[in-house]
Amino acid sequence: MELRHLRYFVAVAEAEHFGRAAEQLHISQSPLSRQIAQLEEEIGAKLFVASGRGVKLSHAGRSFLEGARATLARAARAVEDAREAAQGRIGTVVIGFEGGLAYSGLLPRVVQMFRARHPRVEVRLVPLPSEEQVAALRDGKISIGYGYHPPVENPLVRFRVLFRDRLSVGMSKSHRLATRRTLRIADLKNERFIWSPRKRSPRLYDDVIAAFRAHGQTLEIAHEEADGEALVTLVASGEGLSFFTESAEPFIRVGVGAVLKRVRDLDVVILGCSMWRATDEEDPLVRSLLEITNSEHSAREV
């Protein structure tokens, strides 16, 4: 059974006449009659009975009509959905993002602009460590990722660096170094540090350890804390020092009793980037997200 059988059947049912239905369908009456005969043979029941010079639906025909119309309506809706999806008017995008990106303000602006441009598209935001985003892209779990550090070269994944964010040190306002304008790594000797576990961002963790070693110091991580808000609370309470990006300063010092200090010889920079599957570059929704992201990125640089 094909959709044309259903279209022909509905046309005859509404016209109650094979000749008039054939005219409406722009075909001759003979092939129309053959198509209806094939449909009746497949169903195993007569769909029409003679009525004067025309036809009327049989009992089986009346039962079949509602389902035929519903099937044609669903098929038409499916075609329209496919067209709208191809035009980027409907669909779903899943965005994986590193939590700290909120500090830069870039991602919230991108999402707001995307939603305004595509009001019928569902947007899902999934917190996801940067190190896991490439695998999530590969497995189709996310449409686009926003994280730290460009991914290792991978022919399946594209990326663009969006911003550079220098690492600084956070401490309680009552700390002995809190009044200093800037610091050096030597000033942090024997200080107790609280930081996220290495698995959250191995590259950043190793870069900081290496920077301290280059100055003859060992970084003492006294406690690991994965929760960002808990980490800020511990630092503000004087439990230890920690590392934050400079863009996080407005969020760190508002009402929590903590301050950020630049460490002049701690040359560790975090690169914020977007990443996506190479095969999705022509996807209208991914392309729109990238266009908005690049536009916002360029506006920040002006």
Side-chain angles (χ1 to χ4, degrees):
M1 185 182 303
E2 299 179 16
L3 287 178
R4 74 170 182 274
H5 290 111
L6 301 183
R7 286 196 296 269
Y8 293 171
F9 165 72
V10 171
V12 174
E14 292 177 348
E16 296 186 337
H17 194 281
F18 275 86
R20 288 195 294 269
E23 290 178 5
Q24 293 169 8
L25 293 167
H26 304 292
I27 61 175
S28 62
Q29 185 172 334
S30 294
L32 174 59
S33 298
R34 286 196 299 271
Q35 294 293 328
I36 296 300
Q38 291 174 5
L39 182 60
E40 289 176 327
E41 182 178 355
E42 183 171 349
I43 293 173
K46 295 291 290 183
L47 299 175
F48 296 99
V49 295
S51 176
R53 294 186 177 181
V55 292
K56 287 190 178 298
L57 288 168
S58 67
H59 177 71
R62 289 194 298 272
S63 176
F64 188 62
L65 180 59
E66 182 178 352
R69 283 173 169 161
T71 299
L72 290 172
R74 286 195 297 270
R77 180 69 262 177
V79 170
E80 185 61 24
D81 286 348
R83 288 173 178 161
E84 291 189 333
Q87 296 166 1
R89 295 167 59 189
I90 62 171
T92 300
V93 293
V94 184
I95 300 174
F97 69 98
E98 181 74 51
L101 279 170
Y103 300 138
S104 74
L106 176 63
L107 182 56
R109 291 196 304 275
V110 168
V111 172
Q112 290 169 10
M113 293 180 66
F114 180 85
R115 281 180 166 146
R117 184 182 293 184
H118 304 276
R120 296 175 59 199
V121 173
E122 180 183 4
V123 180
R124 299 177 190 166
L125 293 163
V126 180
L128 195 64
S130 302
E131 304 296 330
E132 299 178 20
Q133 291 185 19
V134 171
L137 283 169
R138 181 194 62 211
D139 297 340
K141 294 180 179 179
I142 61 175
S143 312
I144 189 170
Y146 293 87
Y148 295 131
H149 298 299
V152 177
E153 185 174 346
N154 186 324
L156 302 179
V157 177
R158 301 282 188 269
F159 71 88
R160 180 177 183 181
V161 175
L162 302 173
F163 61 86
R164 299 166 62 88
D165 207 350
R166 187 184 176 98
L167 206 65
S168 56
V169 171
M171 64 189 67
S172 167
K173 289 181 179 178
S174 62
H175 191 277
R176 65 181 181 84
L177 298 173
T179 58
R180 299 274 294 274
R181 185 171 182 179
T182 59
L183 305 173
R184 291 189 175 276
I185 289 180
D187 299 323
L188 303 173
K189 186 176 182 179
N190 299 324
E191 288 291 340
R192 168 189 170 95
F193 277 83
I194 307 169
W195 206 15
S196 301
R198 181 183 180 276
K199 64 181 180 181
R200 289 292 303 275
S201 187
R203 191 185 310 185
L204 175 61
Y205 192 101
D206 293 345
D207 285 349
V208 173
I209 295 294
F212 271 67
R213 285 178 178 168
H215 287 79
Q217 289 201 45
T218 300
L219 181 62
E220 180 192 352
I221 307 295
H223 175 68
E224 290 187 340
E225 178 54 61
D227 185 283
E229 293 181 351
L231 181 60
V232 173
T233 301
L234 290 169
V235 169
S237 301
E239 291 297 307
L241 281 62
S242 191
F243 298 100
F244 301 95
T245 57
E246 289 187 346
S247 65
E249 182 174 10
F251 301 87
I252 300 300
R253 59 186 174 86
V254 174
V256 298
V259 293
L260 291 190
K261 297 294 176 181
R262 171 172 285 197
V263 183
R264 283 176 287 173
D265 49 355
L266 179 61
D267 297 320
V268 176
V269 175
I270 293 176
L271 302 179
C273 65
S274 57
M275 59 191 86
W276 61 94
R277 284 183 294 272
T279 54
D280 284 349
E281 289 186 329
E282 297 306 315
D283 180 287
L285 296 179
V286 172
R287 188 169 65 245
S288 180
L289 267 171
L290 293 175
E291 289 172 355
I292 294 171
T293 300
N294 295 339
S295 175
E296 284 297 292
H297 163 63
S298 299
R300 283 165 55 96
E301 291 187 325
V302 174

